[in-house]
Amino acid sequence: DADVTQTPRNRITKTGKRIMLECSQTKGHDRMYWYRQDPGLGLRLIYYSFDVKDINKGEISDGYSVSRQAQAKFSLSLESAIPNQTALYFCATSGSGLADITSTDTQYFGPGTRLTVL
Amino acid sequence: AQKVTQAQTEISVVEKEDVTLDCVYETRDTTYYLFWYKQPPSGELVFLIRRNSFDEQNEISGRYSWNFQKSTSSFNFTITASQVVDSAVYFCALSEETSGSRLTFGEGTQLTVNP
């Protein structure tokens, strides 16, 4: 089974709809991140969380919100989706994992969610 | 502020050629980490290597090698004897110690290896 999972993998929605993207991890990492990828722009950080009680804005947080429900779960919400939020969204984790203490500061990514807003 | 530049947007080579992907970074921190990730056509991001700022030793892993030069703020990636399966987008990324593991990515280089 994958260490970092994202649901859904693909989603088509309409302008104005609320949508939630979910991320779960079994790596035992304490840090989790949400990025979006747009063609030619690389990946840009939306939000990140260093533990359950810690939430921080990244460089492009406007129009997004997050929730860290547990150490292993980090969800991203678009309260009112707009077409320019059409992108590939990635969740990532890092930290001193229970089984992989050498992974500190190395981020491991989920498979991505392709979101289309019509 | 941290910045990563991958000036090569697209590279096309013929199988078995060597290819170097360039990465130039900017940071004010003395402690930082550099990464390369591979994104094959299937879309996932695969971690390739992590290098910290105090370790300038070049690294080789099979057909992959990395050249880290602090004097030129570069962390270049070379694939020797390229194969079709190497076709992917490659991202260079930087994390400053003071940023708490937040990654800044370059724009990526699309590598196409033709048979």
PDB file of all heavy atoms in Angstrom, chain A residues 40-76:
ATOM      1  N   GLY A  40       4.451  24.823 -16.333  1.00  0.00           N
ATOM      2  CA  GLY A  40       5.457  25.874 -16.442  1.00  0.00           C
ATOM      3  C   GLY A  40       5.751  26.624 -15.158  1.00  0.00           C
ATOM      4  O   GLY A  40       6.619  27.496 -15.151  1.00  0.00           O
ATOM      5  N   LEU A  41       5.052  26.277 -14.078  1.00  0.00           N
ATOM      6  CA  LEU A  41       5.251  27.017 -12.824  1.00  0.00           C
ATOM      7  C   LEU A  41       5.804  26.148 -11.710  1.00  0.00           C
ATOM      8  O   LEU A  41       5.971  26.616 -10.587  1.00  0.00           O
ATOM      9  CB  LEU A  41       3.930  27.633 -12.360  1.00  0.00           C
ATOM     10  CG  LEU A  41       3.355  28.743 -13.233  1.00  0.00           C
ATOM     11  CD1 LEU A  41       2.027  29.225 -12.655  1.00  0.00           C
ATOM     12  CD2 LEU A  41       4.328  29.910 -13.359  1.00  0.00           C
ATOM     13  N   GLY A  42       6.057  24.913 -11.975  1.00  0.00           N
ATOM     14  CA  GLY A  42       6.526  24.040 -10.917  1.00  0.00           C
ATOM     15  C   GLY A  42       5.441  23.825  -9.880  1.00  0.00           C
ATOM     16  O   GLY A  42       4.245  23.929 -10.173  1.00  0.00           O
ATOM     17  N   LEU A  43       5.839  23.521  -8.657  1.00  0.00           N
ATOM     18  CA  LEU A  43       4.898  23.317  -7.568  1.00  0.00           C
ATOM     19  C   LEU A  43       4.974  24.505  -6.630  1.00  0.00           C
ATOM     20  O   LEU A  43       6.060  24.993  -6.321  1.00  0.00           O
ATOM     21  CB  LEU A  43       5.236  22.040  -6.783  1.00  0.00           C
ATOM     22  CG  LEU A  43       4.758  20.733  -7.392  1.00  0.00           C
ATOM     23  CD1 LEU A  43       5.675  20.288  -8.515  1.00  0.00           C
ATOM     24  CD2 LEU A  43       4.675  19.660  -6.315  1.00  0.00           C
ATOM     25  N   ARG A  44       3.829  24.942  -6.170  1.00  0.00           N
ATOM     26  CA  ARG A  44       3.769  26.068  -5.240  1.00  0.00           C
ATOM     27  C   ARG A  44       3.028  25.650  -3.987  1.00  0.00           C
ATOM     28  O   ARG A  44       2.006  24.970  -4.046  1.00  0.00           O
ATOM     29  CB  ARG A  44       3.098  27.271  -5.905  1.00  0.00           C
ATOM     30  CG  ARG A  44       3.901  27.884  -7.040  1.00  0.00           C
ATOM     31  CD  ARG A  44       3.168  29.043  -7.676  1.00  0.00           C
ATOM     32  NE  ARG A  44       1.975  28.601  -8.367  1.00  0.00           N
ATOM     33  CZ  ARG A  44       1.008  29.419  -8.793  1.00  0.00           C
ATOM     34  NH1 ARG A  44       1.092  30.717  -8.561  1.00  0.00           N
ATOM     35  NH2 ARG A  44      -0.038  28.936  -9.427  1.00  0.00           N
ATOM     36  N   LEU A  45       3.538  26.091  -2.854  1.00  0.00           N
ATOM     37  CA  LEU A  45       3.020  25.672  -1.550  1.00  0.00           C
ATOM     38  C   LEU A  45       1.751  26.443  -1.200  1.00  0.00           C
ATOM     39  O   LEU A  45       1.726  27.681  -1.243  1.00  0.00           O
ATOM     40  CB  LEU A  45       4.092  25.913  -0.490  1.00  0.00           C
ATOM     41  CG  LEU A  45       3.783  25.481   0.934  1.00  0.00           C
ATOM     42  CD1 LEU A  45       3.581  23.962   1.013  1.00  0.00           C
ATOM     43  CD2 LEU A  45       4.912  25.914   1.852  1.00  0.00           C
ATOM     44  N   ILE A  46       0.712  25.706  -0.807  1.00  0.00           N
ATOM     45  CA  ILE A  46      -0.559  26.323  -0.448  1.00  0.00           C
ATOM     46  C   ILE A  46      -0.651  26.490   1.073  1.00  0.00           C
ATOM     47  O   ILE A  46      -0.864  27.588   1.589  1.00  0.00           O
ATOM     48  CB  ILE A  46      -1.751  25.481  -0.950  1.00  0.00           C
ATOM     49  CG1 ILE A  46      -1.636  25.224  -2.455  1.00  0.00           C
ATOM     50  CG2 ILE A  46      -3.069  26.211  -0.650  1.00  0.00           C
ATOM     51  CD1 ILE A  46      -2.679  24.230  -2.971  1.00  0.00           C
ATOM     52  N   TYR A  47      -0.533  25.395   1.785  1.00  0.00           N
ATOM     53  CA  TYR A  47      -0.561  25.371   3.244  1.00  0.00           C
ATOM     54  C   TYR A  47       0.370  24.277   3.730  1.00  0.00           C
ATOM     55  O   TYR A  47       0.639  23.320   3.022  1.00  0.00           O
ATOM     56  CB  TYR A  47      -1.976  25.059   3.767  1.00  0.00           C
ATOM     57  CG  TYR A  47      -2.865  26.244   4.006  1.00  0.00           C
ATOM     58  CD1 TYR A  47      -3.782  26.640   3.022  1.00  0.00           C
ATOM     59  CD2 TYR A  47      -2.826  26.954   5.193  1.00  0.00           C
ATOM     60  CE1 TYR A  47      -4.624  27.724   3.230  1.00  0.00           C
ATOM     61  CE2 TYR A  47      -3.677  28.054   5.411  1.00  0.00           C
ATOM     62  CZ  TYR A  47      -4.565  28.424   4.426  1.00  0.00           C
ATOM     63  OH  TYR A  47      -5.402  29.490   4.636  1.00  0.00           O
ATOM     64  N   TYR A  48       0.814  24.416   4.992  1.00  0.00           N
ATOM     65  CA  TYR A  48       1.584  23.361   5.598  1.00  0.00           C
ATOM     66  C   TYR A  48       1.295  23.308   7.086  1.00  0.00           C
ATOM     67  O   TYR A  48       0.836  24.291   7.688  1.00  0.00           O
ATOM     68  CB  TYR A  48       3.086  23.514   5.329  1.00  0.00           C
ATOM     69  CG  TYR A  48       3.718  24.782   5.851  1.00  0.00           C
ATOM     70  CD1 TYR A  48       4.488  24.766   7.006  1.00  0.00           C
ATOM     71  CD2 TYR A  48       3.577  25.985   5.168  1.00  0.00           C
ATOM     72  CE1 TYR A  48       5.093  25.922   7.477  1.00  0.00           C
ATOM     73  CE2 TYR A  48       4.167  27.143   5.630  1.00  0.00           C
ATOM     74  CZ  TYR A  48       4.931  27.110   6.785  1.00  0.00           C
ATOM     75  OH  TYR A  48       5.511  28.255   7.252  1.00  0.00           O
ATOM     76  N   SER A  49       1.596  22.139   7.663  1.00  0.00           N
ATOM     77  CA  SER A  49       1.271  21.890   9.065  1.00  0.00           C
ATOM     78  C   SER A  49       2.392  21.069   9.681  1.00  0.00           C
ATOM     79  O   SER A  49       2.763  20.016   9.144  1.00  0.00           O
ATOM     80  CB  SER A  49      -0.054  21.115   9.164  1.00  0.00           C
ATOM     81  OG  SER A  49      -0.278  20.655  10.476  1.00  0.00           O
ATOM     82  N   PHE A  50       2.931  21.534  10.787  1.00  0.00           N
ATOM     83  CA  PHE A  50       4.039  20.823  11.426  1.00  0.00           C
ATOM     84  C   PHE A  50       3.559  19.857  12.505  1.00  0.00           C
ATOM     85  O   PHE A  50       4.326  19.004  12.946  1.00  0.00           O
ATOM     86  CB  PHE A  50       5.049  21.797  12.001  1.00  0.00           C
ATOM     87  CG  PHE A  50       5.898  22.466  10.950  1.00  0.00           C
ATOM     88  CD1 PHE A  50       6.744  23.505  11.277  1.00  0.00           C
ATOM     89  CD2 PHE A  50       5.852  22.048   9.627  1.00  0.00           C
ATOM     90  CE1 PHE A  50       7.535  24.121  10.307  1.00  0.00           C
ATOM     91  CE2 PHE A  50       6.634  22.654   8.651  1.00  0.00           C
ATOM     92  CZ  PHE A  50       7.483  23.690   9.001  1.00  0.00           C
ATOM     93  N   ASP A  51       2.344  20.031  12.978  1.00  0.00           N
ATOM     94  CA  ASP A  51       1.703  19.031  13.829  1.00  0.00           C
ATOM     95  C   ASP A  51       0.219  19.356  13.866  1.00  0.00           C
ATOM     96  O   ASP A  51      -0.232  20.304  13.229  1.00  0.00           O
ATOM     97  CB  ASP A  51       2.337  18.947  15.222  1.00  0.00           C
ATOM     98  CG  ASP A  51       2.158  20.225  16.032  1.00  0.00           C
ATOM     99  OD1 ASP A  51       1.076  20.842  15.988  1.00  0.00           O
ATOM    100  OD2 ASP A  51       3.119  20.613  16.717  1.00  0.00           O
ATOM    101  N   VAL A  52      -0.530  18.587  14.622  1.00  0.00           N
ATOM    102  CA  VAL A  52      -1.984  18.682  14.587  1.00  0.00           C
ATOM    103  C   VAL A  52      -2.490  20.083  14.947  1.00  0.00           C
ATOM    104  O   VAL A  52      -3.475  20.556  14.399  1.00  0.00           O
ATOM    105  CB  VAL A  52      -2.612  17.634  15.521  1.00  0.00           C
ATOM    106  CG1 VAL A  52      -4.111  17.810  15.590  1.00  0.00           C
ATOM    107  CG2 VAL A  52      -2.284  16.238  15.036  1.00  0.00           C
ATOM    108  N   LYS A  53      -1.791  20.784  15.819  1.00  0.00           N
ATOM    109  CA  LYS A  53      -2.273  22.102  16.253  1.00  0.00           C
ATOM    110  C   LYS A  53      -1.613  23.255  15.511  1.00  0.00           C
ATOM    111  O   LYS A  53      -1.783  24.424  15.881  1.00  0.00           O
ATOM    112  CB  LYS A  53      -2.023  22.260  17.762  1.00  0.00           C
ATOM    113  CG  LYS A  53      -2.780  21.258  18.608  1.00  0.00           C
ATOM    114  CD  LYS A  53      -2.492  21.469  20.094  1.00  0.00           C
ATOM    115  CE  LYS A  53      -3.241  20.445  20.939  1.00  0.00           C
ATOM    116  NZ  LYS A  53      -2.963  20.618  22.393  1.00  0.00           N
ATOM    117  N   ASP A  54      -0.891  22.934  14.455  1.00  0.00           N
ATOM    118  CA  ASP A  54      -0.125  23.951  13.748  1.00  0.00           C
ATOM    119  C   ASP A  54      -0.543  24.010  12.284  1.00  0.00           C
ATOM    120  O   ASP A  54      -0.483  23.008  11.573  1.00  0.00           O
ATOM    121  CB  ASP A  54       1.368  23.610  13.850  1.00  0.00           C
ATOM    122  CG  ASP A  54       2.211  24.599  13.062  1.00  0.00           C
ATOM    123  OD1 ASP A  54       2.437  25.701  13.556  1.00  0.00           O
ATOM    124  OD2 ASP A  54       2.627  24.246  11.937  1.00  0.00           O
ATOM    125  N   ILE A  55      -0.997  25.194  11.838  1.00  0.00           N
ATOM    126  CA  ILE A  55      -1.387  25.403  10.440  1.00  0.00           C
ATOM    127  C   ILE A  55      -0.730  26.693   9.975  1.00  0.00           C
ATOM    128  O   ILE A  55      -0.800  27.719  10.674  1.00  0.00           O
ATOM    129  CB  ILE A  55      -2.922  25.542  10.282  1.00  0.00           C
ATOM    130  CG1 ILE A  55      -3.640  24.285  10.775  1.00  0.00           C
ATOM    131  CG2 ILE A  55      -3.279  25.850   8.832  1.00  0.00           C
ATOM    132  CD1 ILE A  55      -3.440  23.070   9.901  1.00  0.00           C
ATOM    133  N   ASN A  56      -0.125  26.656   8.797  1.00  0.00           N
ATOM    134  CA  ASN A  56       0.573  27.823   8.278  1.00  0.00           C
ATOM    135  C   ASN A  56       0.242  28.047   6.812  1.00  0.00           C
ATOM    136  O   ASN A  56       0.108  27.081   6.050  1.00  0.00           O
ATOM    137  CB  ASN A  56       2.092  27.641   8.408  1.00  0.00           C
ATOM    138  CG  ASN A  56       2.516  27.363   9.816  1.00  0.00           C
ATOM    139  OD1 ASN A  56       2.613  28.263  10.638  1.00  0.00           O
ATOM    140  ND2 ASN A  56       2.759  26.103  10.127  1.00  0.00           N
ATOM    141  N   LYS A  57       0.130  29.302   6.435  1.00  0.00           N
ATOM    142  CA  LYS A  57      -0.113  29.625   5.034  1.00  0.00           C
ATOM    143  C   LYS A  57       1.173  29.516   4.235  1.00  0.00           C
ATOM    144  O   LYS A  57       2.250  29.881   4.708  1.00  0.00           O
ATOM    145  CB  LYS A  57      -0.662  31.045   4.909  1.00  0.00           C
ATOM    146  CG  LYS A  57      -2.053  31.236   5.495  1.00  0.00           C
ATOM    147  CD  LYS A  57      -2.532  32.658   5.275  1.00  0.00           C
ATOM    148  CE  LYS A  57      -3.953  32.823   5.797  1.00  0.00           C
ATOM    149  NZ  LYS A  57      -4.448  34.226   5.583  1.00  0.00           N
ATOM    150  N   GLY A  58       1.020  29.047   3.001  1.00  0.00           N
ATOM    151  CA  GLY A  58       2.128  29.052   2.077  1.00  0.00           C
ATOM    152  C   GLY A  58       2.072  30.272   1.190  1.00  0.00           C
ATOM    153  O   GLY A  58       1.463  31.278   1.540  1.00  0.00           O
ATOM    154  N   GLU A  59       2.652  30.172   0.014  1.00  0.00           N
ATOM    155  CA  GLU A  59       2.726  31.351  -0.847  1.00  0.00           C
ATOM    156  C   GLU A  59       1.444  31.643  -1.605  1.00  0.00           C
ATOM    157  O   GLU A  59       1.254  32.766  -2.079  1.00  0.00           O
ATOM    158  CB  GLU A  59       3.898  31.196  -1.837  1.00  0.00           C
ATOM    159  CG  GLU A  59       3.816  29.974  -2.715  1.00  0.00           C
ATOM    160  CD  GLU A  59       5.009  29.872  -3.668  1.00  0.00           C
ATOM    161  OE1 GLU A  59       5.223  30.799  -4.456  1.00  0.00           O
ATOM    162  OE2 GLU A  59       5.696  28.826  -3.614  1.00  0.00           O
ATOM    163  N   ILE A  60       0.527  30.671  -1.727  1.00  0.00           N
ATOM    164  CA  ILE A  60      -0.692  30.898  -2.506  1.00  0.00           C
ATOM    165  C   ILE A  60      -1.914  30.373  -1.771  1.00  0.00           C
ATOM    166  O   ILE A  60      -2.672  29.575  -2.284  1.00  0.00           O
ATOM    167  CB  ILE A  60      -0.594  30.274  -3.911  1.00  0.00           C
ATOM    168  CG1 ILE A  60      -0.231  28.783  -3.835  1.00  0.00           C
ATOM    169  CG2 ILE A  60       0.413  31.001  -4.786  1.00  0.00           C
ATOM    170  CD1 ILE A  60      -0.508  28.037  -5.121  1.00  0.00           C
ATOM    171  N   SER A  61      -2.160  30.828  -0.563  1.00  0.00           N
ATOM    172  CA  SER A  61      -3.231  30.282   0.267  1.00  0.00           C
ATOM    173  C   SER A  61      -4.610  30.884  -0.013  1.00  0.00           C
ATOM    174  O   SER A  61      -5.622  30.310   0.403  1.00  0.00           O
ATOM    175  CB  SER A  61      -2.884  30.472   1.741  1.00  0.00           C
ATOM    176  OG  SER A  61      -2.711  31.848   2.019  1.00  0.00           O
ATOM    177  N   ASP A  62      -4.682  32.009  -0.698  1.00  0.00           N
ATOM    178  CA  ASP A  62      -5.976  32.647  -0.940  1.00  0.00           C
ATOM    179  C   ASP A  62      -6.910  31.718  -1.698  1.00  0.00           C
ATOM    180  O   ASP A  62      -6.553  31.145  -2.715  1.00  0.00           O
ATOM    181  CB  ASP A  62      -5.789  33.945  -1.730  1.00  0.00           C
ATOM    182  CG  ASP A  62      -5.182  35.049  -0.894  1.00  0.00           C
ATOM    183  OD1 ASP A  62      -5.098  34.881   0.335  1.00  0.00           O
ATOM    184  OD2 ASP A  62      -4.796  36.082  -1.464  1.00  0.00           O
ATOM    185  N   GLY A  63      -8.137  31.590  -1.161  1.00  0.00           N
ATOM    186  CA  GLY A  63      -9.134  30.747  -1.808  1.00  0.00           C
ATOM    187  C   GLY A  63      -9.134  29.312  -1.315  1.00  0.00           C
ATOM    188  O   GLY A  63      -9.953  28.506  -1.748  1.00  0.00           O
ATOM    189  N   TYR A  64      -8.224  29.001  -0.404  1.00  0.00           N
ATOM    190  CA  TYR A  64      -8.084  27.649   0.140  1.00  0.00           C
ATOM    191  C   TYR A  64      -8.146  27.684   1.668  1.00  0.00           C
ATOM    192  O   TYR A  64      -7.826  28.695   2.283  1.00  0.00           O
ATOM    193  CB  TYR A  64      -6.749  27.024  -0.261  1.00  0.00           C
ATOM    194  CG  TYR A  64      -6.505  26.913  -1.733  1.00  0.00           C
ATOM    195  CD1 TYR A  64      -5.791  27.901  -2.415  1.00  0.00           C
ATOM    196  CD2 TYR A  64      -6.971  25.819  -2.463  1.00  0.00           C
ATOM    197  CE1 TYR A  64      -5.553  27.817  -3.770  1.00  0.00           C
ATOM    198  CE2 TYR A  64      -6.729  25.723  -3.824  1.00  0.00           C
ATOM    199  CZ  TYR A  64      -6.026  26.727  -4.463  1.00  0.00           C
ATOM    200  OH  TYR A  64      -5.793  26.633  -5.820  1.00  0.00           O
ATOM    201  N   SER A  65      -8.535  26.561   2.255  1.00  0.00           N
ATOM    202  CA  SER A  65      -8.428  26.373   3.695  1.00  0.00           C
ATOM    203  C   SER A  65      -8.029  24.915   3.936  1.00  0.00           C
ATOM    204  O   SER A  65      -8.152  24.079   3.039  1.00  0.00           O
ATOM    205  CB  SER A  65      -9.750  26.685   4.412  1.00  0.00           C
ATOM    206  OG  SER A  65     -10.775  25.805   3.976  1.00  0.00           O
ATOM    207  N   VAL A  66      -7.516  24.632   5.122  1.00  0.00           N
ATOM    208  CA  VAL A  66      -7.072  23.279   5.432  1.00  0.00           C
ATOM    209  C   VAL A  66      -7.540  22.884   6.817  1.00  0.00           C
ATOM    210  O   VAL A  66      -7.903  23.724   7.645  1.00  0.00           O
ATOM    211  CB  VAL A  66      -5.536  23.134   5.359  1.00  0.00           C
ATOM    212  CG1 VAL A  66      -5.025  23.268   3.931  1.00  0.00           C
ATOM    213  CG2 VAL A  66      -4.856  24.128   6.301  1.00  0.00           C
ATOM    214  N   SER A  67      -7.490  21.588   7.044  1.00  0.00           N
ATOM    215  CA  SER A  67      -7.820  21.030   8.352  1.00  0.00           C
ATOM    216  C   SER A  67      -6.889  19.865   8.619  1.00  0.00           C
ATOM    217  O   SER A  67      -6.725  18.981   7.770  1.00  0.00           O
ATOM    218  CB  SER A  67      -9.275  20.563   8.377  1.00  0.00           C
ATOM    219  OG  SER A  67      -9.568  19.904   9.597  1.00  0.00           O
ATOM    220  N   ARG A  68      -6.276  19.861   9.793  1.00  0.00           N
ATOM    221  CA  ARG A  68      -5.415  18.740  10.186  1.00  0.00           C
ATOM    222  C   ARG A  68      -6.181  17.955  11.250  1.00  0.00           C
ATOM    223  O   ARG A  68      -6.139  18.245  12.436  1.00  0.00           O
ATOM    224  CB  ARG A  68      -4.081  19.270  10.755  1.00  0.00           C
ATOM    225  CG  ARG A  68      -3.076  18.172  11.076  1.00  0.00           C
ATOM    226  CD  ARG A  68      -2.334  17.730   9.866  1.00  0.00           C
ATOM    227  NE  ARG A  68      -1.429  16.637  10.139  1.00  0.00           N
ATOM    228  CZ  ARG A  68      -0.134  16.801  10.432  1.00  0.00           C
ATOM    229  NH1 ARG A  68       0.405  18.020  10.487  1.00  0.00           N
ATOM    230  NH2 ARG A  68       0.621  15.756  10.654  1.00  0.00           N
ATOM    231  N   GLN A  69      -6.896  16.954  10.792  1.00  0.00           N
ATOM    232  CA  GLN A  69      -7.809  16.216  11.672  1.00  0.00           C
ATOM    233  C   GLN A  69      -7.076  15.288  12.622  1.00  0.00           C
ATOM    234  O   GLN A  69      -7.573  14.955  13.694  1.00  0.00           O
ATOM    235  CB  GLN A  69      -8.800  15.397  10.844  1.00  0.00           C
ATOM    236  CG  GLN A  69      -9.627  16.219   9.848  1.00  0.00           C
ATOM    237  CD  GLN A  69      -9.025  16.241   8.451  1.00  0.00           C
ATOM    238  OE1 GLN A  69      -7.799  16.323   8.294  1.00  0.00           O
ATOM    239  NE2 GLN A  69      -9.872  16.150   7.441  1.00  0.00           N
ATOM    240  N   ALA A  70      -5.921  14.847  12.207  1.00  0.00           N
ATOM    241  CA  ALA A  70      -5.113  13.924  12.998  1.00  0.00           C
ATOM    242  C   ALA A  70      -3.709  14.008  12.436  1.00  0.00           C
ATOM    243  O   ALA A  70      -3.479  14.615  11.388  1.00  0.00           O
ATOM    244  CB  ALA A  70      -5.659  12.500  12.889  1.00  0.00           C
ATOM    245  N   GLN A  71      -2.771  13.374  13.112  1.00  0.00           N
ATOM    246  CA  GLN A  71      -1.401  13.432  12.605  1.00  0.00           C
ATOM    247  C   GLN A  71      -1.313  12.887  11.185  1.00  0.00           C
ATOM    248  O   GLN A  71      -0.551  13.374  10.368  1.00  0.00           O
ATOM    249  CB  GLN A  71      -0.442  12.644  13.504  1.00  0.00           C
ATOM    250  CG  GLN A  71       1.010  12.840  13.075  1.00  0.00           C
ATOM    251  CD  GLN A  71       1.947  11.817  13.675  1.00  0.00           C
ATOM    252  OE1 GLN A  71       1.573  10.668  13.901  1.00  0.00           O
ATOM    253  NE2 GLN A  71       3.166  12.227  13.943  1.00  0.00           N
ATOM    254  N   ALA A  72      -2.134  11.898  10.894  1.00  0.00           N
ATOM    255  CA  ALA A  72      -2.030  11.223   9.607  1.00  0.00           C
ATOM    256  C   ALA A  72      -2.927  11.810   8.520  1.00  0.00           C
ATOM    257  O   ALA A  72      -2.908  11.339   7.392  1.00  0.00           O
ATOM    258  CB  ALA A  72      -2.347   9.739   9.781  1.00  0.00           C
ATOM    259  N   LYS A  73      -3.734  12.805   8.835  1.00  0.00           N
ATOM    260  CA  LYS A  73      -4.717  13.310   7.870  1.00  0.00           C
ATOM    261  C   LYS A  73      -4.658  14.816   7.748  1.00  0.00           C
ATOM    262  O   LYS A  73      -4.659  15.546   8.749  1.00  0.00           O
ATOM    263  CB  LYS A  73      -6.123  12.877   8.276  1.00  0.00           C
ATOM    264  CG  LYS A  73      -6.342  11.378   8.261  1.00  0.00           C
ATOM    265  CD  LYS A  73      -7.770  11.033   8.591  1.00  0.00           C
ATOM    266  CE  LYS A  73      -8.001   9.529   8.647  1.00  0.00           C
ATOM    267  NZ  LYS A  73      -7.797   8.897   7.331  1.00  0.00           N
ATOM    268  N   PHE A  74      -4.681  15.275   6.484  1.00  0.00           N
ATOM    269  CA  PHE A  74      -4.583  16.704   6.206  1.00  0.00           C
ATOM    270  C   PHE A  74      -5.439  16.972   4.981  1.00  0.00           C
ATOM    271  O   PHE A  74      -5.138  16.462   3.896  1.00  0.00           O
ATOM    272  CB  PHE A  74      -3.118  17.061   5.947  1.00  0.00           C
ATOM    273  CG  PHE A  74      -2.798  18.522   5.923  1.00  0.00           C
ATOM    274  CD1 PHE A  74      -3.412  19.429   6.767  1.00  0.00           C
ATOM    275  CD2 PHE A  74      -1.817  19.002   5.056  1.00  0.00           C
ATOM    276  CE1 PHE A  74      -3.078  20.778   6.757  1.00  0.00           C
ATOM    277  CE2 PHE A  74      -1.460  20.344   5.032  1.00  0.00           C
ATOM    278  CZ  PHE A  74      -2.093  21.233   5.887  1.00  0.00           C
ATOM    279  N   SER A  75      -6.507  17.747   5.145  1.00  0.00           N
ATOM    280  CA  SER A  75      -7.421  17.967   4.031  1.00  0.00           C
ATOM    281  C   SER A  75      -7.359  19.415   3.558  1.00  0.00           C
ATOM    282  O   SER A  75      -7.115  20.338   4.340  1.00  0.00           O
ATOM    283  CB  SER A  75      -8.855  17.591   4.422  1.00  0.00           C
ATOM    284  OG  SER A  75      -9.279  18.364   5.520  1.00  0.00           O
ATOM    285  N   LEU A  76      -7.587  19.571   2.277  1.00  0.00           N
ATOM    286  CA  LEU A  76      -7.576  20.881   1.625  1.00  0.00           C
ATOM    287  C   LEU A  76      -8.973  21.171   1.097  1.00  0.00           C
ATOM    288  O   LEU A  76      -9.560  20.319   0.425  1.00  0.00           O
ATOM    289  CB  LEU A  76      -6.578  20.880   0.465  1.00  0.00           C
ATOM    290  CG  LEU A  76      -6.510  22.134  -0.400  1.00  0.00           C
ATOM    291  CD1 LEU A  76      -5.859  23.286   0.367  1.00  0.00           C
ATOM    292  CD2 LEU A  76      -5.730  21.857  -1.690  1.00  0.00           C
TER     293      LEU A  76
END
